[in-house]
Amino acid sequence: MFSGSGSVDLLIDKVGGVSQVIKQLTGSQGVGVSIIDTRRGVKSTLESFSKSGIRVLLQEYIESSGRDFRVFVVGNKVVATYQRIAPRGDFRANISGGGKGVPAKITKGE
Ligand SMILES: Nc1ncnc2c1ncn2[C@@H]1O[C@H](COP(=O)(O)OP(=O)(O)OP(=O)(O)O)[C@@H](O)[C@H]1O
Ligand SMILES: [Mg+2]
């Protein structure tokens, strides 16, 4: 939580990057996850959520062309992986939001 626009600026600087992702804490399946590409957009949106008492998480946007990996781990062993590809025009790869799942392996480093 923050108060006053000065601390919003500090928060935005700390997270870094041009684009930032705002996530409502109560969301799942990609609902309540937004990307904002301008600083003034991030600032005004954070202030709106704050005023409405809605708790959010702010993250740097990680460029991944709308792709992510789902990795299932049992104990300390990776047992299954697949890649998810976001629908055109979206950055969220959730299957429930129209994303596509394709077989994929991850490298040892990943
Ligand atoms: N910081 C980020 N940078 C780039 N893409 C992101 C970022 N955070 C989320 N995404 C994309 O948006 C999708 C949804 O985000 P996330 O998984 O955090 O929310 P959720 O699926 O609603 O929540 P949960 O996985 O906890 O049920 C991710 O699968 C990923 O494709
Ligand atoms: Mg998710």
Side-chain angles (χ1 to χ4, degrees):
M1 262 308 169
F2 47 80
S3 55
S5 57
S7 56
V8 180
D9 281 311
L10 285 178
L11 186 65
I12 293 170
D13 288 340
K14 194 162 184 189
V15 168
V18 175
S19 299
Q20 297 192 342
V21 175
I22 299 181
K23 302 181 178 182
Q24 294 182 42
L25 295 194
T26 51
S28 74
Q29 303 189 326
V31 176
V33 177
S34 314
I35 185 169
I36 302 184
D37 296 317
T38 62
R39 187 183 182 96
R40 65 182 181 179
V42 174
K43 185 171 176 172
S44 55
T45 303
L46 285 177
E47 286 168 354
S48 299
F49 278 131
S50 176
K51 280 232 160 65
S52 307
I54 297 169
R55 300 178 70 203
V56 299
L57 192 66
L58 184 66
Q59 292 180 344
E60 181 181 358
Y61 171 62
I62 308 298
E63 174 51 54
S64 60
S65 305
R67 289 159 188 257
D68 72 4
F69 286 106
R70 179 129 288 196
V71 178
F72 296 89
V73 180
V74 178
N76 61 359
K77 199 170 161 14
V78 172
V79 296
T81 57
Y82 68 97
Q83 191 177 44
R84 300 184 307 177
I85 303 167
R88 186 184 290 273
D90 205 330
F91 75 104
R92 295 164 299 174
N94 300 80
I95 301 286
S96 53
K100 205 172 77 183
V102 296
K105 283 197 165 31
I106 57 170
T107 63
K108 262 218 148 36
E110 285 164 337

